[in-house]
Amino acid sequence: MEELDIKQLWHKYDLKLEKSLQLNQKIMNELQAQKAESNINSFRRNQVTGVVFGILWVLFLVFWTIIGYRNIYFAGSMGIIALFNIFAVATYIRHLALLDKVNVADNITLAQQKLATIQASLSNSGRIMILQTPFWCTFWYSQQLVDHGGSTFWIINLTVVALFIGLSVYLYNKLTYKNIHIKWVKAFIEGFGGKKLINAMEFMNEIEDYKMDKELVVA
């Protein structure tokens, strides 16, 4: 066999191998994109559920705030807790609006940026919601109890309220991405469906890593 024929055979083999690799990678990218979309859709369902139950919970809190308006301690505590939950519902609605703009097939980098924004917002909203905890210690107060509670009552209750304030502030400062190496902090951040966002971003990272590796090989 002539040397030229051998070169042509090798060239044809290389072309077939390249086409096969490209096809395999295309299939892999599509599978990774589908997995990312699946996790995004799962997170979207969680947010929709959060909005529905959040609205019902807010209505419940507002109802009791109105009913108990004569008791300033009860109404004030319930009203503030309701405001926290209104914030949470508004945050979830914002997440849904951002998710509608995420398109994995169109631009992975842009999709990652939007998911990162949602992820940070989800974590911050959870931290802020913790700050409502002390108000669950004061909703049962009444004017009669405040007037005639006595020193023992106030020592015990103010100690409990102070502990919850300190705990909520501590958790607010602790539950950040800089502490994600701590297991319980990571569990909190991944909670509320946040794990789904992390999975989606990891799948997209794999697609981006392959593209970068391919560009380096071509260069």
Side-chain angles (χ1 to χ4, degrees):
M1 184 178 290
E2 297 292 336
E3 182 180 351
L4 181 61
D5 293 334
I6 295 175
K7 289 182 178 180
Q8 288 177 345
L9 286 174
W10 274 110
H11 181 64
K12 290 180 180 179
Y13 176 77
D14 288 340
L15 289 176
K16 289 181 179 179
L17 181 60
E18 180 63 24
K19 288 181 180 179
S20 177
L21 291 173
Q22 289 178 354
L23 179 60
N24 289 338
Q25 187 57 45
K26 181 180 179 181
I27 293 173
M28 192 198 80
N29 287 347
E30 289 177 351
L31 287 174
Q32 296 297 86
Q34 289 175 3
K35 291 178 181 178
E37 287 285 359
S38 176
N39 279 277
I40 291 171
N41 289 333
S42 179
F43 177 77
R44 180 183 283 107
R45 289 192 293 272
N46 289 339
Q47 296 297 283
V48 170
T49 301
V51 169
V52 173
F53 282 97
I55 290 174
L56 293 176
W57 180 239
V58 167
L59 292 175
F60 175 80
L61 292 172
V62 170
F63 170 78
W64 281 106
T65 301
I66 295 173
I67 292 296
Y69 77 96
R70 292 182 182 278
N71 184 342
I72 187 172
Y73 303 99
F74 177 85
S77 298
M78 287 292 103
I80 292 173
I81 293 172
L83 290 176
F84 274 98
N85 285 271
I86 290 171
F87 163 79
V89 171
T91 300
Y92 289 170
I93 292 174
R94 176 174 175 265
H95 292 168
L96 291 172
L98 289 173
L99 285 174
D100 285 338
K101 299 178 182 179
V102 174
N103 191 333
V104 177
D106 183 32
N107 190 318
I108 291 178
T109 301
L110 185 60
Q112 287 176 317
Q113 291 174 350
K114 290 178 180 177
L115 290 181
T117 299
I118 295 173
Q119 189 180 30
S121 175
L122 185 68
S123 175
N124 287 332
S125 65
R127 293 167 63 218
I128 291 173
M129 289 298 291
I130 290 174
L131 296 177
Q132 70 177 301
T133 305
F135 295 99
W136 286 103
C137 301
T138 59
F139 77 94
W140 57 279
Y141 286 6
S142 66
Q143 191 60 51
Q144 183 179 3
L145 188 63
V146 171
D147 292 338
H148 306 287
S151 58
T152 302
F153 165 82
W154 283 113
I155 290 173
I156 294 174
N157 280 274
L158 290 179
T159 300
V160 171
V161 172
L163 286 173
F164 275 98
I165 291 174
L167 179 62
S168 61
V169 172
Y170 169 78
L171 291 175
Y172 177 82
N173 292 323
K174 193 72 173 179
L175 295 171
T176 61
Y177 278 98
K178 68 179 182 180
N179 296 319
I180 199 170
H181 59 281
I182 303 173
K183 288 184 178 180
W184 64 272
V185 173
K186 183 179 180 181
F188 173 85
I189 292 176
E190 291 181 350
F192 305 105
K195 180 63 176 176
K196 299 296 182 181
L197 287 182
I198 294 174
N199 289 340
M201 294 176 70
E202 287 176 351
F203 288 130
M204 288 188 285
N205 283 334
E206 291 181 13
I207 298 173
E208 283 293 283
D209 289 342
Y210 170 77
K211 288 182 178 180
M212 291 179 64
D213 292 340
K214 187 176 180 180
E215 290 174 358
L216 289 173
V217 170
V218 173

